């Protein structure tokens, strides 16, 4: 957080330079990219962003549970559950019970789901190529490494807990 001390007193200035605040910048970029491609997915294929993410993940990692899909996509479990229900209703997913644990459901793309993935994936890959146009191979590699480090660090840190907030911010 980019906060500065106020010159008039010892309290912390709560204004944040959002344009330089990494979590904000990442969120804005994610929203811009998701919104840009969501229109094409919605218009052409009737898919929401969560539905597309589930199809993409199950295309790469078949046989996951809804919880595992939520973990891989960092999406809310309720959003995943709703999207899975819609995809099952559209016959894009198969749902089965894991033989070793009858409480665990496993999801996989149906033939119709795989065909849809085959149509949507080229659009997504084309958008990615256009987004990265002008980046050198070295720039792309550095970006991939930086994003991986940020993901690993965010996973290590986890959610911000009240006990981690500076004492001037706590609501005790």
């Amino acid at each position: 957080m980019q906060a500065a001390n106020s010159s008039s007193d010892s309290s912390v200035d709560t204004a944040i330079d959002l344009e330089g605040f990494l979590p904000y910048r990442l969120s804005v970029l994610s929203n811009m990219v998701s919104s840009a491609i969501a229109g094409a997915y919605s218009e052409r294929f009737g898919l929401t962003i969560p539905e597309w993410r589930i199809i993409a993940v199950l295309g790469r990692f078949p046989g996951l549970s809804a919880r595992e899909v939520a973990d891989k996509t960092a999406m809310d479990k309720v959003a995943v559950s709703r999207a899975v229900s819609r995809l099952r209703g559209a016959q894009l997913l198969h749902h089965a019970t894991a033989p070793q644990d009858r409480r665990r459901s496993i999801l996989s793309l149906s033939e119709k789901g795989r065909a849809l993935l085959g149509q949507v994936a080229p659009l997504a890959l084309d958008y990615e190529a256009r987004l990265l146009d002008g980046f050198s191979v070295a720039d792309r590699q550095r970006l991939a490494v930086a994003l991986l480090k940020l993901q690993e660090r965010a996973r290590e840190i986890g959610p911000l807990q009240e006990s981690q907030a500076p004492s001037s911010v706590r609501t005790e």
Side-chain angles (χ1 to χ4, degrees):
M1 184 166 106
Q2 299 189 11
N5 285 334
S6 172
S7 57
S8 61
D9 61 52
S10 63
S11 68
V12 174
D13 182 358
T14 57
I16 297 174
D17 172 16
L18 288 177
E19 295 78 15
F21 185 56
L22 182 63
Y24 176 79
R25 293 175 68 195
L26 291 172
S27 178
V28 168
L29 177 60
S30 175
N31 290 340
M32 288 172 63
V33 171
S34 291
S35 294
I37 56 181
Y41 297 159
S42 177
E43 282 179 31
R44 292 174 80 173
F45 306 105
L47 293 174
T48 64
I49 293 169
E51 290 166 352
W52 156 245
R53 288 179 183 166
I54 291 168
I55 288 172
V57 166
L58 291 174
R60 176 124 167 87
F61 305 102
L64 296 178
S65 68
R67 177 180 291 182
E68 291 166 327
V69 169
D71 290 344
K72 282 207 175 287
T73 61
M75 288 193 305
D76 177 70
K77 291 175 185 154
V78 173
V80 169
S81 178
R82 288 182 184 142
V84 164
S85 292
R86 287 190 302 269
L87 292 169
R88 286 183 63 202
Q91 299 178 340
L92 296 168
L93 293 184
H94 289 302
H95 171 268
T97 303
Q100 66 276 22
D101 183 354
R102 309 286 300 157
R103 297 168 296 170
R104 183 176 175 264
S105 296
I106 52 174
L107 303 169
S108 60
L109 295 178
S110 65
E111 188 173 318
K112 185 177 173 182
R114 285 190 299 277
L116 182 61
L117 177 60
Q119 293 179 302
V120 179
L123 291 175
L125 293 171
D126 178 65
Y127 186 83
E128 178 191 42
R130 291 188 295 141
L131 190 62
L132 294 172
D133 187 39
F135 282 63
S136 69
V137 171
D139 288 341
R140 291 175 190 217
Q141 290 172 340
R142 281 191 293 273
L143 177 61
V145 167
L147 290 172
L148 183 61
K149 284 182 178 180
L150 284 170
Q151 283 178 297
E152 289 171 354
R153 188 66 186 132
R155 204 173 288 115
E156 286 171 12
I157 294 171
L160 182 64
Q161 304 295 322
E162 180 70 20
S163 63
Q164 296 169 321
S167 58
S168 62
V169 181
R170 290 193 189 134
T171 58
E172 297 171 354

